Amino acid sequence: MKKMMLVAAACAMVVAPSMILAEESVTSVNVVGYYTVEIPADGLALITPVLEGMEGGTLEDLISDQLPVGSEVALWDRQSKGYVFGGRTRSGWNITNVVLRGDALWVQPAPGTGPQTITFMGEVPAAFNNASTTVVANIEGIDAVGYGYPVDVVWTNTALAQEVPVGSELIIWDVDAQDYVFFGRTRSGWNTPADFEIKAGQGFWISSSALVDWEEVVPYDL
């Protein structure tokens, strides 16, 4: 968890999950989806929920017993600009905070337990469950956030990329190289590669000198 403390000032680790929408709906209006997060042995992941929880949004609801006892989490709080820490004990998760779509959450499996896979399930956010727009509020300074819908999105197509001022930074963890990648916004635009994508469920850090309430419109029709 020490790595998590260091990252608050400058950078973030991410694991790009895969997202697969369920082919059938549970009811005539609700569409269920799932996505998985792969975390390497003794590694960290920074993720964001991208589905509406069917039972809630606490760690007990989102992850339950999918990670071994001794695993740790750190939820980034944009209000306090700091972490809320928790862990999995024999009696369950000792953190009760609700994690919303667009919130960023570190996950660190218990040391020595090998690679871990977490599957997240829930309703696909859309107009029918009052998610035609998603607002990630109070972004300022350096904040960990995520795109709130279960699709990959070209970074420069997001409202956040367009709203933060010149001089802002996007900080991504390259899971293959195990190193940080920094991108910036200049007067001529973002220096990201062409069609650079934020993956579904991927958390990231944004550094902005202006206060931004990031609002995205649902990018699909159901």
Side-chain angles (χ1 to χ4, degrees):
M1 194 62 69
K2 292 181 180 178
K3 291 183 180 179
M4 295 182 183
M5 296 294 292
L6 296 174
V7 122
C11 49
M13 288 187 176
V14 302
V15 169
S18 62
M19 175 60 202
I20 304 175
L21 298 182
E23 294 182 357
E24 297 182 359
S25 59
V26 172
T27 70
S28 60
V29 292
N30 293 0
V31 179
V32 171
Y34 75 90
Y35 66 102
T36 59
V37 174
E38 306 290 339
I39 307 177
D42 297 318
L44 292 167
L46 183 68
I47 62 175
T48 185
V50 292
L51 300 171
E52 292 290 324
M54 292 184 289
E55 297 182 1
T58 67
L59 269 293
E60 202 64 49
D61 300 320
L62 294 171
I63 299 177
S64 187
D65 59 356
Q66 294 185 75
L67 289 180
V69 170
S71 298
E72 296 180 291
V73 296
L75 172 64
W76 181 255
D77 183 352
R78 291 185 304 282
Q79 298 297 322
S80 66
K81 305 302 180 185
Y83 286 119
V84 179
F85 294 96
R88 183 161 186 259
T89 69
R90 288 182 175 84
S91 58
W93 291 95
N94 61 7
I95 177 174
T96 59
N97 296 66
V98 173
V99 186
L100 302 174
R101 290 184 298 108
D103 288 342
L105 178 73
W106 285 95
V107 181
Q108 184 176 35
T113 55
Q116 299 290 324
T117 300
I118 310 172
T119 300
F120 296 90
M121 298 188 67
E123 292 183 2
V124 177
F128 61 75
N129 52 16
N130 299 315
S132 56
T133 62
T134 296
V135 177
V136 182
N138 198 40
I139 300 173
E140 188 177 25
I142 184 164
D143 268 319
V145 295
Y147 185 73
Y149 291 103
V151 293
D152 299 344
V153 61
V154 174
W155 165 246
T156 51
N157 289 345
T158 67
L160 183 60
Q162 299 165 26
E163 290 175 14
V164 293
V166 170
S168 297
E169 282 191 305
L170 169 67
I171 306 167
I172 299 290
W173 176 252
D174 184 329
V175 69
D176 295 321
Q178 290 290 289
D179 202 0
Y180 300 105
V181 182
F182 294 80
F183 302 108
R185 187 176 187 186
T186 68
R187 289 183 175 84
S188 58
W190 285 94
N191 62 2
T192 49
D195 298 326
F196 178 79
E197 290 185 327
I198 300 296
K199 302 300 183 181
Q202 176 182 358
F204 58 89
W205 290 91
I206 189 74
S207 177
S208 171
S209 60
L211 177 64
V212 175
D213 288 335
W214 174 20
E215 182 175 359
E216 289 286 350
V217 177
V218 60
Y220 43 75
D221 294 318
L222 294 178

